[in-house]
Amino acid sequence: MSIYVTKSFMPTLPEYSNILKSVWERGVLTNQGPCVQEFELKMREYLDVRDFQYLNNGTIALQLALNALDITEGEVITTPFSYIATISSILWERCTPVFVDVEADNFTIDTQKIRSSITNKTKAIMSVHVFGYACNIEEIDLIAQEYNLKVIYDGAHAFGAKYKGKSLLSYGDVSTVSFHATKLFHTVEGGACIIKDPEVSKKLDLAKRFGHNGDKHYQLGINGKASEFHAAMGLANFPYINYIISERKNSSILYDKLLDNSLKRPKTQLELEYNYAYYPVLFKCEDELLNVFAALNKNDIYPRRYFYPSLNQLPYLNYKKCEFSEDVSKRIACLPLYVGLKADEQRMIVDIIRNSAD
């Protein structure tokens, strides 16, 4: 049986079916139905946040965050070490991404380099909690206040992580999260925005449903709504959150033991309660990574390169050198990590890595 980088956690079929039965009985499939409302309530309570808006995916969440904060032109400072959705959301809103290189410890944006990239066109900082590791929140907030900038945290990987006792998603003007099937917690497809300002929240709520409420049209909008079927999956998975994180933590601890510091790992901040969203490792060089991948693939094991290439190297953008991001993107990969991954499978993975690495 193939071993992939991740495997979606699934509730039991009866658990999901029981929730779907109520959907069938009501006949309400979308447009902020009861399942969506219940899911939002549970998430507000779990994350201990005032505002949680469930959306149909994490990319729309980023676009709506920019739009609701009135960032529809100008420059947005961001990281080149992320998934393409971070950049495409900025471009889609007709803004210009300005890349700032990442730091060496946990591959989040290097806050010491942000100030030199700020111009009179800069409107916001969109930073990414890469792999669920926290950005330097205090420094980013300080810079944002100094230059009157908005802060959007791309927290696609941040669900379940806490910083200083609070959900990592509770920081910034808006934080976004992804509930895609590949994520630690999923609703098959889905995403959300966690918003500080009630007025921004109202604008985003309108924007996600075409900009109108009944027959009254207030603003330009888009379809960012999530369906009852996706919310139902979220409700079925919700009771398993702590179990999912615990199982992934156990597998990560075993990887730590088996690898015994032979590969570099991101550094966890002292005040971060990590969510074990991924298990990234850094190889000595790209050739070593490719050798390891070839050996693992021969054994039907499929890790993944998160993230390659460095986004500042995309052919449709003006190139700006980001030395460390370009280097790390060639050497980093995530090993398989999911609920149900067997200890013997982890031992086999690590044995293959040791035997095929230079």
Side-chain angles (χ1 to χ4, degrees):
M1 184 178 291
S2 299
I3 300 173
Y4 293 100
V5 68
T6 191
K7 182 179 181 181
S8 300
F9 179 85
M10 298 288 281
T12 67
L13 188 56
E15 288 172 317
Y16 186 50
S17 297
N18 285 339
I19 300 172
L20 288 184
K21 184 179 178 182
S22 68
V23 177
W24 250 259
E25 291 170 349
R26 289 188 295 262
V28 177
L29 306 185
T30 186
N31 291 342
Q32 295 297 112
C35 286
V36 167
Q37 293 179 46
E38 183 182 355
F39 181 65
E40 288 182 330
L41 176 61
K42 285 182 177 291
M43 281 293 153
R44 285 196 293 271
E45 293 173 347
Y46 174 77
L47 298 170
D48 192 22
V49 295
R50 188 196 64 81
D51 194 301
F52 176 96
Q53 294 204 36
Y54 182 46
L55 303 164
N56 52 18
N57 63 66
T59 306
I60 286 291
L62 289 168
Q63 292 177 220
L64 286 173
L66 288 163
N67 184 275
L69 290 168
D70 293 322
I71 304 167
T72 54
E73 62 177 0
E75 297 175 348
V76 177
I77 289 175
T78 191
T79 170
F81 189 67
S82 181
Y83 184 59
I84 184 62
T86 306
I87 307 308
S88 60
S89 64
I90 295 171
L91 294 169
W92 210 263
E93 292 302 313
R94 301 295 189 266
C95 296
T96 302
V98 176
F99 293 110
V100 170
D101 208 353
V102 296
E103 51 91 9
D105 285 340
N106 65 6
F107 317 133
T108 58
I109 196 166
D110 188 342
T111 54
Q112 300 303 311
K113 298 177 180 177
I114 290 178
R115 280 184 174 83
S116 62
S117 295
I118 295 174
T119 71
N120 58 6
K121 296 181 180 179
T122 306
K123 299 295 182 65
I125 301 170
M126 183 183 285
S127 192
V128 181
H129 298 306
V130 180
F131 304 130
Y133 295 98
C135 302
N136 188 337
I137 289 169
E138 289 84 1
E139 185 64 21
I140 289 173
D141 285 353
L142 186 66
I143 295 169
Q145 291 173 24
E146 182 180 345
Y147 290 91
N148 193 29
L149 303 175
K150 299 297 185 182
V151 177
I152 300 170
Y153 285 112
D154 181 342
H157 306 165
F159 182 81
K162 291 184 177 181
Y163 181 65
K164 293 188 173 181
K166 296 168 53 179
S167 168
L168 191 51
L169 296 169
S170 65
Y171 295 90
D173 292 294
V174 181
S175 281
T176 69
V177 66
S178 171
F179 295 129
H180 185 265
T182 57
K183 297 300 187 288
L184 177 154
F185 176 87
H186 76 91
T187 61
V188 185
E189 288 278 3
C193 284
I194 295 86
I195 308 151
K196 284 276 178 68
D197 187 334
E199 292 305 313
V200 174
S201 180
K202 288 179 184 178
K203 184 174 181 181
L204 193 146
D205 180 56
L206 274 171
K208 77 182 180 187
R209 44 195 177 90
F210 299 103
H212 72 89
N213 189 358
D215 291 332
K216 291 188 176 181
H217 290 250
Y218 297 93
Q219 65 182 63
L220 181 66
I222 196 171
N223 187 2
K225 303 184 306 295
S227 79
E228 291 290 272
F229 293 90
H230 292 92
M233 179 61 77
L235 292 172
N237 278 336
F238 185 83
Y240 293 99
I241 292 172
N242 291 337
Y243 168 72
I244 292 168
I245 293 174
S246 176
E247 289 293 294
R248 296 170 78 99
K249 178 179 179 179
N250 290 337
S251 294
S252 296
I253 290 171
L254 180 56
Y255 269 137
D256 288 344
K257 181 180 178 181
L258 294 171
L259 287 167
D260 192 25
N261 296 316
S262 59
L263 294 173
K264 182 178 177 179
R265 300 265 293 121
K267 182 179 179 181
T268 304
Q269 294 93 336
L270 292 176
E271 296 182 273
L272 176 70
E273 185 179 325
Y274 188 52
N275 61 358
Y276 302 93
Y278 295 89
Y279 195 89
V281 293
L282 193 64
F283 293 92
K284 288 184 294 186
C285 62
E286 186 175 23
D287 285 345
E288 183 180 68
L289 179 148
L290 294 174
N291 288 338
V292 168
F293 268 47
L296 289 169
N297 291 171
K298 284 182 180 178
N299 287 272
D300 223 9
I301 302 167
Y302 302 96
R304 184 173 170 184
R305 300 180 77 171
Y306 283 84
F307 296 98
Y308 178 82
S310 181
L311 295 177
N312 62 303
Q313 297 179 299
L314 292 175
Y316 49 84
L317 296 175
N318 292 327
Y319 174 75
K320 178 183 177 181
K321 187 173 183 61
C322 293
E323 185 175 358
F324 192 81
S325 178
E326 291 173 35
D327 174 54
V328 75
S329 69
K330 296 174 183 177
R331 301 190 287 125
I332 199 166
C334 287
L335 301 185
L337 181 65
Y338 49 83
V339 174
L341 182 65
K342 298 180 177 61
D344 286 346
E345 293 173 328
Q346 289 185 260
R347 293 188 185 96
M348 177 174 62
I349 290 167
V350 173
D351 285 342
I352 292 171
I353 289 172
R354 290 189 180 280
N355 292 331
S356 55
D358 292 337

PDB file of all heavy atoms in Angstrom, residues 58-59 62-63 66 76-92 97 99 126-128 152 154-156 176 307 311:
ATOM      1  N   GLY A  58      -9.371  28.205   1.477  1.00  0.00           N
ATOM      2  CA  GLY A  58      -8.401  29.086   2.113  1.00  0.00           C
ATOM      3  C   GLY A  58      -7.876  30.187   1.219  1.00  0.00           C
ATOM      4  O   GLY A  58      -7.421  31.225   1.716  1.00  0.00           O
ATOM      5  N   THR A  59      -7.919  29.988  -0.087  1.00  0.00           N
ATOM      6  CA  THR A  59      -7.457  31.022  -1.011  1.00  0.00           C
ATOM      7  C   THR A  59      -8.453  32.177  -1.067  1.00  0.00           C
ATOM      8  O   THR A  59      -8.070  33.356  -1.024  1.00  0.00           O
ATOM      9  CB  THR A  59      -7.240  30.443  -2.419  1.00  0.00           C
ATOM     10  OG1 THR A  59      -6.363  29.318  -2.334  1.00  0.00           O
ATOM     11  CG2 THR A  59      -6.622  31.475  -3.344  1.00  0.00           C
ATOM     12  N   LEU A  62      -7.968  34.462   1.859  1.00  0.00           N
ATOM     13  CA  LEU A  62      -6.911  35.465   1.692  1.00  0.00           C
ATOM     14  C   LEU A  62      -7.383  36.625   0.818  1.00  0.00           C
ATOM     15  O   LEU A  62      -7.140  37.798   1.126  1.00  0.00           O
ATOM     16  CB  LEU A  62      -5.669  34.825   1.080  1.00  0.00           C
ATOM     17  CG  LEU A  62      -4.878  33.867   1.978  1.00  0.00           C
ATOM     18  CD1 LEU A  62      -3.858  33.088   1.162  1.00  0.00           C
ATOM     19  CD2 LEU A  62      -4.183  34.643   3.091  1.00  0.00           C
ATOM     20  N   GLN A  63      -8.065  36.319  -0.270  1.00  0.00           N
ATOM     21  CA  GLN A  63      -8.553  37.372  -1.160  1.00  0.00           C
ATOM     22  C   GLN A  63      -9.573  38.261  -0.453  1.00  0.00           C
ATOM     23  O   GLN A  63      -9.534  39.490  -0.569  1.00  0.00           O
ATOM     24  CB  GLN A  63      -9.177  36.744  -2.409  1.00  0.00           C
ATOM     25  CG  GLN A  63      -8.184  36.061  -3.323  1.00  0.00           C
ATOM     26  CD  GLN A  63      -8.834  35.380  -4.511  1.00  0.00           C
ATOM     27  OE1 GLN A  63      -8.445  34.302  -4.902  1.00  0.00           O
ATOM     28  NE2 GLN A  63      -9.834  36.015  -5.085  1.00  0.00           N
ATOM     29  N   LEU A  66      -7.923  40.672   2.098  1.00  0.00           N
ATOM     30  CA  LEU A  66      -7.369  41.854   1.448  1.00  0.00           C
ATOM     31  C   LEU A  66      -8.475  42.831   1.067  1.00  0.00           C
ATOM     32  O   LEU A  66      -8.386  44.032   1.316  1.00  0.00           O
ATOM     33  CB  LEU A  66      -6.577  41.449   0.198  1.00  0.00           C
ATOM     34  CG  LEU A  66      -5.228  40.762   0.437  1.00  0.00           C
ATOM     35  CD1 LEU A  66      -4.763  40.057  -0.826  1.00  0.00           C
ATOM     36  CD2 LEU A  66      -4.181  41.786   0.884  1.00  0.00           C
ATOM     37  N   VAL A  76       2.103  44.649  -1.047  1.00  0.00           N
ATOM     38  CA  VAL A  76       1.899  43.808   0.132  1.00  0.00           C
ATOM     39  C   VAL A  76       3.191  43.037   0.381  1.00  0.00           C
ATOM     40  O   VAL A  76       3.642  42.257  -0.472  1.00  0.00           O
ATOM     41  CB  VAL A  76       0.731  42.824  -0.070  1.00  0.00           C
ATOM     42  CG1 VAL A  76       0.587  41.908   1.154  1.00  0.00           C
ATOM     43  CG2 VAL A  76      -0.570  43.574  -0.336  1.00  0.00           C
ATOM     44  N   ILE A  77       3.793  43.276   1.525  1.00  0.00           N
ATOM     45  CA  ILE A  77       5.032  42.577   1.884  1.00  0.00           C
ATOM     46  C   ILE A  77       4.685  41.155   2.302  1.00  0.00           C
ATOM     47  O   ILE A  77       3.776  40.928   3.107  1.00  0.00           O
ATOM     48  CB  ILE A  77       5.759  43.325   3.013  1.00  0.00           C
ATOM     49  CG1 ILE A  77       6.344  44.633   2.467  1.00  0.00           C
ATOM     50  CG2 ILE A  77       6.858  42.467   3.629  1.00  0.00           C
ATOM     51  CD1 ILE A  77       6.970  45.515   3.509  1.00  0.00           C
ATOM     52  N   THR A  78       5.413  40.199   1.750  1.00  0.00           N
ATOM     53  CA  THR A  78       5.103  38.803   2.023  1.00  0.00           C
ATOM     54  C   THR A  78       6.355  37.950   1.909  1.00  0.00           C
ATOM     55  O   THR A  78       7.452  38.440   1.643  1.00  0.00           O
ATOM     56  CB  THR A  78       3.992  38.310   1.079  1.00  0.00           C
ATOM     57  OG1 THR A  78       3.516  37.024   1.527  1.00  0.00           O
ATOM     58  CG2 THR A  78       4.499  38.179  -0.354  1.00  0.00           C
ATOM     59  N   THR A  79       6.189  36.666   2.090  1.00  0.00           N
ATOM     60  CA  THR A  79       7.293  35.710   2.073  1.00  0.00           C
ATOM     61  C   THR A  79       7.338  34.933   0.761  1.00  0.00           C
ATOM     62  O   THR A  79       6.282  34.600   0.213  1.00  0.00           O
ATOM     63  CB  THR A  79       7.164  34.719   3.240  1.00  0.00           C
ATOM     64  OG1 THR A  79       8.105  33.648   3.083  1.00  0.00           O
ATOM     65  CG2 THR A  79       5.774  34.103   3.277  1.00  0.00           C
ATOM     66  N   PRO A  80       8.511  34.604   0.270  1.00  0.00           N
ATOM     67  CA  PRO A  80       8.608  33.764  -0.920  1.00  0.00           C
ATOM     68  C   PRO A  80       8.517  32.276  -0.600  1.00  0.00           C
ATOM     69  O   PRO A  80       8.427  31.451  -1.501  1.00  0.00           O
ATOM     70  CB  PRO A  80       9.989  34.105  -1.478  1.00  0.00           C
ATOM     71  CG  PRO A  80      10.790  34.425  -0.255  1.00  0.00           C
ATOM     72  CD  PRO A  80       9.842  35.107   0.694  1.00  0.00           C
ATOM     73  N   PHE A  81       8.545  31.935   0.710  1.00  0.00           N
ATOM     74  CA  PHE A  81       8.529  30.523   1.098  1.00  0.00           C
ATOM     75  C   PHE A  81       7.135  30.156   1.602  1.00  0.00           C
ATOM     76  O   PHE A  81       6.828  30.223   2.772  1.00  0.00           O
ATOM     77  CB  PHE A  81       9.585  30.246   2.172  1.00  0.00           C
ATOM     78  CG  PHE A  81       9.769  28.777   2.452  1.00  0.00           C
ATOM     79  CD1 PHE A  81      10.295  27.934   1.494  1.00  0.00           C
ATOM     80  CD2 PHE A  81       9.393  28.237   3.675  1.00  0.00           C
ATOM     81  CE1 PHE A  81      10.452  26.570   1.736  1.00  0.00           C
ATOM     82  CE2 PHE A  81       9.554  26.893   3.939  1.00  0.00           C
ATOM     83  CZ  PHE A  81      10.081  26.054   2.964  1.00  0.00           C
ATOM     84  N   SER A  82       6.275  29.801   0.642  1.00  0.00           N
ATOM     85  CA  SER A  82       4.889  29.478   0.949  1.00  0.00           C
ATOM     86  C   SER A  82       4.279  28.776  -0.255  1.00  0.00           C
ATOM     87  O   SER A  82       4.925  28.635  -1.303  1.00  0.00           O
ATOM     88  CB  SER A  82       4.100  30.757   1.278  1.00  0.00           C
ATOM     89  OG  SER A  82       2.770  30.463   1.603  1.00  0.00           O
ATOM     90  N   TYR A  83       3.032  28.373  -0.093  1.00  0.00           N
ATOM     91  CA  TYR A  83       2.287  27.819  -1.222  1.00  0.00           C
ATOM     92  C   TYR A  83       1.862  28.954  -2.146  1.00  0.00           C
ATOM     93  O   TYR A  83       1.694  30.105  -1.711  1.00  0.00           O
ATOM     94  CB  TYR A  83       1.076  27.027  -0.719  1.00  0.00           C
ATOM     95  CG  TYR A  83       0.303  26.343  -1.816  1.00  0.00           C
ATOM     96  CD1 TYR A  83       0.924  25.415  -2.646  1.00  0.00           C
ATOM     97  CD2 TYR A  83      -1.043  26.629  -2.031  1.00  0.00           C
ATOM     98  CE1 TYR A  83       0.224  24.790  -3.674  1.00  0.00           C
ATOM     99  CE2 TYR A  83      -1.750  26.011  -3.041  1.00  0.00           C
ATOM    100  CZ  TYR A  83      -1.117  25.093  -3.866  1.00  0.00           C
ATOM    101  OH  TYR A  83      -1.795  24.492  -4.877  1.00  0.00           O
ATOM    102  N   ILE A  84       1.637  28.651  -3.391  1.00  0.00           N
ATOM    103  CA  ILE A  84       1.335  29.637  -4.416  1.00  0.00           C
ATOM    104  C   ILE A  84       0.099  30.478  -4.082  1.00  0.00           C
ATOM    105  O   ILE A  84      -0.014  31.637  -4.490  1.00  0.00           O
ATOM    106  CB  ILE A  84       1.164  28.952  -5.796  1.00  0.00           C
ATOM    107  CG1 ILE A  84       0.942  29.974  -6.918  1.00  0.00           C
ATOM    108  CG2 ILE A  84       0.021  27.937  -5.758  1.00  0.00           C
ATOM    109  CD1 ILE A  84       2.092  30.906  -7.109  1.00  0.00           C
ATOM    110  N   ALA A  85      -0.833  29.929  -3.302  1.00  0.00           N
ATOM    111  CA  ALA A  85      -2.063  30.660  -2.986  1.00  0.00           C
ATOM    112  C   ALA A  85      -1.782  31.968  -2.272  1.00  0.00           C
ATOM    113  O   ALA A  85      -2.529  32.949  -2.440  1.00  0.00           O
ATOM    114  CB  ALA A  85      -2.990  29.788  -2.132  1.00  0.00           C
ATOM    115  N   THR A  86      -0.723  32.015  -1.480  1.00  0.00           N
ATOM    116  CA  THR A  86      -0.376  33.257  -0.783  1.00  0.00           C
ATOM    117  C   THR A  86      -0.142  34.383  -1.777  1.00  0.00           C
ATOM    118  O   THR A  86      -0.635  35.506  -1.602  1.00  0.00           O
ATOM    119  CB  THR A  86       0.884  33.052   0.081  1.00  0.00           C
ATOM    120  OG1 THR A  86       0.683  31.941   0.948  1.00  0.00           O
ATOM    121  CG2 THR A  86       1.196  34.287   0.901  1.00  0.00           C
ATOM    122  N   ILE A  87       0.591  34.084  -2.826  1.00  0.00           N
ATOM    123  CA  ILE A  87       0.936  35.104  -3.821  1.00  0.00           C
ATOM    124  C   ILE A  87      -0.206  35.343  -4.796  1.00  0.00           C
ATOM    125  O   ILE A  87      -0.495  36.491  -5.157  1.00  0.00           O
ATOM    126  CB  ILE A  87       2.212  34.696  -4.588  1.00  0.00           C
ATOM    127  CG1 ILE A  87       3.339  34.385  -3.615  1.00  0.00           C
ATOM    128  CG2 ILE A  87       2.613  35.786  -5.578  1.00  0.00           C
ATOM    129  CD1 ILE A  87       3.614  35.466  -2.603  1.00  0.00           C
ATOM    130  N   SER A  88      -0.868  34.278  -5.210  1.00  0.00           N
ATOM    131  CA  SER A  88      -1.942  34.448  -6.197  1.00  0.00           C
ATOM    132  C   SER A  88      -3.078  35.290  -5.626  1.00  0.00           C
ATOM    133  O   SER A  88      -3.724  36.046  -6.364  1.00  0.00           O
ATOM    134  CB  SER A  88      -2.465  33.088  -6.670  1.00  0.00           C
ATOM    135  OG  SER A  88      -2.990  32.335  -5.602  1.00  0.00           O
ATOM    136  N   SER A  89      -3.333  35.192  -4.326  1.00  0.00           N
ATOM    137  CA  SER A  89      -4.390  36.010  -3.725  1.00  0.00           C
ATOM    138  C   SER A  89      -4.034  37.491  -3.798  1.00  0.00           C
ATOM    139  O   SER A  89      -4.903  38.337  -4.040  1.00  0.00           O
ATOM    140  CB  SER A  89      -4.630  35.591  -2.273  1.00  0.00           C
ATOM    141  OG  SER A  89      -3.492  35.835  -1.478  1.00  0.00           O
ATOM    142  N   ILE A  90      -2.761  37.813  -3.578  1.00  0.00           N
ATOM    143  CA  ILE A  90      -2.306  39.204  -3.666  1.00  0.00           C
ATOM    144  C   ILE A  90      -2.445  39.712  -5.100  1.00  0.00           C
ATOM    145  O   ILE A  90      -2.976  40.805  -5.348  1.00  0.00           O
ATOM    146  CB  ILE A  90      -0.852  39.332  -3.184  1.00  0.00           C
ATOM    147  CG1 ILE A  90      -0.752  38.986  -1.693  1.00  0.00           C
ATOM    148  CG2 ILE A  90      -0.297  40.729  -3.446  1.00  0.00           C
ATOM    149  CD1 ILE A  90       0.669  38.869  -1.175  1.00  0.00           C
ATOM    150  N   LEU A  91      -1.988  38.922  -6.050  1.00  0.00           N
ATOM    151  CA  LEU A  91      -2.069  39.307  -7.453  1.00  0.00           C
ATOM    152  C   LEU A  91      -3.520  39.418  -7.912  1.00  0.00           C
ATOM    153  O   LEU A  91      -3.873  40.314  -8.684  1.00  0.00           O
ATOM    154  CB  LEU A  91      -1.316  38.292  -8.316  1.00  0.00           C
ATOM    155  CG  LEU A  91       0.206  38.232  -8.115  1.00  0.00           C
ATOM    156  CD1 LEU A  91       0.791  37.011  -8.816  1.00  0.00           C
ATOM    157  CD2 LEU A  91       0.855  39.512  -8.649  1.00  0.00           C
ATOM    158  N   TRP A  92      -4.368  38.517  -7.447  1.00  0.00           N
ATOM    159  CA  TRP A  92      -5.774  38.504  -7.874  1.00  0.00           C
ATOM    160  C   TRP A  92      -6.494  39.767  -7.432  1.00  0.00           C
ATOM    161  O   TRP A  92      -7.422  40.220  -8.092  1.00  0.00           O
ATOM    162  CB  TRP A  92      -6.479  37.268  -7.320  1.00  0.00           C
ATOM    163  CG  TRP A  92      -7.574  36.789  -8.212  1.00  0.00           C
ATOM    164  CD1 TRP A  92      -8.907  37.060  -8.092  1.00  0.00           C
ATOM    165  CD2 TRP A  92      -7.440  35.950  -9.364  1.00  0.00           C
ATOM    166  NE1 TRP A  92      -9.615  36.450  -9.098  1.00  0.00           N
ATOM    167  CE2 TRP A  92      -8.741  35.753  -9.888  1.00  0.00           C
ATOM    168  CE3 TRP A  92      -6.365  35.339 -10.005  1.00  0.00           C
ATOM    169  CZ2 TRP A  92      -8.980  34.982 -11.021  1.00  0.00           C
ATOM    170  CZ3 TRP A  92      -6.602  34.566 -11.122  1.00  0.00           C
ATOM    171  CH2 TRP A  92      -7.896  34.400 -11.628  1.00  0.00           C
ATOM    172  N   PRO A  97       3.021  41.829  -4.842  1.00  0.00           N
ATOM    173  CA  PRO A  97       3.755  41.193  -3.748  1.00  0.00           C
ATOM    174  C   PRO A  97       5.196  41.687  -3.703  1.00  0.00           C
ATOM    175  O   PRO A  97       5.860  41.781  -4.737  1.00  0.00           O
ATOM    176  CB  PRO A  97       3.693  39.695  -4.093  1.00  0.00           C
ATOM    177  CG  PRO A  97       3.516  39.653  -5.570  1.00  0.00           C
ATOM    178  CD  PRO A  97       2.755  40.902  -5.947  1.00  0.00           C
ATOM    179  N   PHE A  99       8.655  40.686  -1.893  1.00  0.00           N
ATOM    180  CA  PHE A  99       9.200  39.553  -1.152  1.00  0.00           C
ATOM    181  C   PHE A  99      10.271  39.976  -0.158  1.00  0.00           C
ATOM    182  O   PHE A  99      11.161  40.772  -0.476  1.00  0.00           O
ATOM    183  CB  PHE A  99       9.786  38.521  -2.113  1.00  0.00           C
ATOM    184  CG  PHE A  99       8.750  37.842  -2.964  1.00  0.00           C
ATOM    185  CD1 PHE A  99       8.670  38.099  -4.324  1.00  0.00           C
ATOM    186  CD2 PHE A  99       7.850  36.962  -2.390  1.00  0.00           C
ATOM    187  CE1 PHE A  99       7.706  37.484  -5.106  1.00  0.00           C
ATOM    188  CE2 PHE A  99       6.877  36.340  -3.169  1.00  0.00           C
ATOM    189  CZ  PHE A  99       6.808  36.599  -4.524  1.00  0.00           C
ATOM    190  N   MET A 126       1.591  40.471   4.676  1.00  0.00           N
ATOM    191  CA  MET A 126       0.941  39.163   4.683  1.00  0.00           C
ATOM    192  C   MET A 126       2.010  38.124   5.000  1.00  0.00           C
ATOM    193  O   MET A 126       2.800  37.729   4.138  1.00  0.00           O
ATOM    194  CB  MET A 126       0.256  38.840   3.351  1.00  0.00           C
ATOM    195  CG  MET A 126      -0.489  37.500   3.375  1.00  0.00           C
ATOM    196  SD  MET A 126      -1.226  37.044   1.785  1.00  0.00           S
ATOM    197  CE  MET A 126      -2.639  38.150   1.744  1.00  0.00           C
ATOM    198  N   SER A 127       2.059  37.724   6.245  1.00  0.00           N
ATOM    199  CA  SER A 127       3.063  36.778   6.703  1.00  0.00           C
ATOM    200  C   SER A 127       2.443  35.393   6.863  1.00  0.00           C
ATOM    201  O   SER A 127       1.229  35.274   7.038  1.00  0.00           O
ATOM    202  CB  SER A 127       3.650  37.266   8.031  1.00  0.00           C
ATOM    203  OG  SER A 127       4.799  36.532   8.366  1.00  0.00           O
ATOM    204  N   VAL A 128       3.261  34.375   6.810  1.00  0.00           N
ATOM    205  CA  VAL A 128       2.776  32.993   6.810  1.00  0.00           C
ATOM    206  C   VAL A 128       3.350  32.229   7.995  1.00  0.00           C
ATOM    207  O   VAL A 128       4.556  32.219   8.214  1.00  0.00           O
ATOM    208  CB  VAL A 128       3.169  32.274   5.495  1.00  0.00           C
ATOM    209  CG1 VAL A 128       2.638  30.844   5.490  1.00  0.00           C
ATOM    210  CG2 VAL A 128       2.652  33.046   4.285  1.00  0.00           C
ATOM    211  N   ILE A 152      -2.073  40.702   7.809  1.00  0.00           N
ATOM    212  CA  ILE A 152      -2.826  39.490   7.502  1.00  0.00           C
ATOM    213  C   ILE A 152      -1.899  38.307   7.730  1.00  0.00           C
ATOM    214  O   ILE A 152      -0.797  38.259   7.173  1.00  0.00           O
ATOM    215  CB  ILE A 152      -3.324  39.484   6.041  1.00  0.00           C
ATOM    216  CG1 ILE A 152      -4.237  40.679   5.783  1.00  0.00           C
ATOM    217  CG2 ILE A 152      -4.048  38.174   5.719  1.00  0.00           C
ATOM    218  CD1 ILE A 152      -4.577  40.883   4.317  1.00  0.00           C
ATOM    219  N   ASP A 154      -1.402  34.481   7.008  1.00  0.00           N
ATOM    220  CA  ASP A 154      -1.799  33.275   6.295  1.00  0.00           C
ATOM    221  C   ASP A 154      -1.530  32.116   7.253  1.00  0.00           C
ATOM    222  O   ASP A 154      -0.397  31.663   7.402  1.00  0.00           O
ATOM    223  CB  ASP A 154      -0.989  33.136   5.005  1.00  0.00           C
ATOM    224  CG  ASP A 154      -1.372  31.905   4.190  1.00  0.00           C
ATOM    225  OD1 ASP A 154      -1.991  30.988   4.751  1.00  0.00           O
ATOM    226  OD2 ASP A 154      -1.013  31.845   2.994  1.00  0.00           O
ATOM    227  N   GLY A 155      -2.595  31.676   7.901  1.00  0.00           N
ATOM    228  CA  GLY A 155      -2.476  30.598   8.875  1.00  0.00           C
ATOM    229  C   GLY A 155      -3.015  29.288   8.339  1.00  0.00           C
ATOM    230  O   GLY A 155      -3.625  28.516   9.089  1.00  0.00           O
ATOM    231  N   ALA A 156      -2.793  29.048   7.056  1.00  0.00           N
ATOM    232  CA  ALA A 156      -3.288  27.809   6.443  1.00  0.00           C
ATOM    233  C   ALA A 156      -2.885  26.581   7.247  1.00  0.00           C
ATOM    234  O   ALA A 156      -3.629  25.597   7.329  1.00  0.00           O
ATOM    235  CB  ALA A 156      -2.766  27.694   5.006  1.00  0.00           C
ATOM    236  N   THR A 176      -6.159  33.909   8.377  1.00  0.00           N
ATOM    237  CA  THR A 176      -6.900  32.955   7.558  1.00  0.00           C
ATOM    238  C   THR A 176      -6.423  31.545   7.876  1.00  0.00           C
ATOM    239  O   THR A 176      -5.324  31.344   8.393  1.00  0.00           O
ATOM    240  CB  THR A 176      -6.702  33.224   6.060  1.00  0.00           C
ATOM    241  OG1 THR A 176      -5.348  32.906   5.691  1.00  0.00           O
ATOM    242  CG2 THR A 176      -7.003  34.676   5.720  1.00  0.00           C
ATOM    243  N   PHE A 307       8.374  24.071   0.331  1.00  0.00           N
ATOM    244  CA  PHE A 307       7.688  24.552  -0.854  1.00  0.00           C
ATOM    245  C   PHE A 307       8.730  24.776  -1.932  1.00  0.00           C
ATOM    246  O   PHE A 307       9.794  25.334  -1.645  1.00  0.00           O
ATOM    247  CB  PHE A 307       6.968  25.858  -0.538  1.00  0.00           C
ATOM    248  CG  PHE A 307       5.883  25.695   0.470  1.00  0.00           C
ATOM    249  CD1 PHE A 307       6.123  26.007   1.791  1.00  0.00           C
ATOM    250  CD2 PHE A 307       4.660  25.192   0.108  1.00  0.00           C
ATOM    251  CE1 PHE A 307       5.128  25.850   2.728  1.00  0.00           C
ATOM    252  CE2 PHE A 307       3.652  25.043   1.044  1.00  0.00           C
ATOM    253  CZ  PHE A 307       3.891  25.363   2.366  1.00  0.00           C
ATOM    254  N   LEU A 311       8.929  31.288  -4.293  1.00  0.00           N
ATOM    255  CA  LEU A 311       7.950  32.012  -5.103  1.00  0.00           C
ATOM    256  C   LEU A 311       8.506  33.254  -5.792  1.00  0.00           C
ATOM    257  O   LEU A 311       7.944  33.705  -6.795  1.00  0.00           O
ATOM    258  CB  LEU A 311       6.742  32.386  -4.241  1.00  0.00           C
ATOM    259  CG  LEU A 311       5.930  31.198  -3.708  1.00  0.00           C
ATOM    260  CD1 LEU A 311       4.805  31.685  -2.805  1.00  0.00           C
ATOM    261  CD2 LEU A 311       5.376  30.345  -4.841  1.00  0.00           C
TER     262      LEU A 311
END
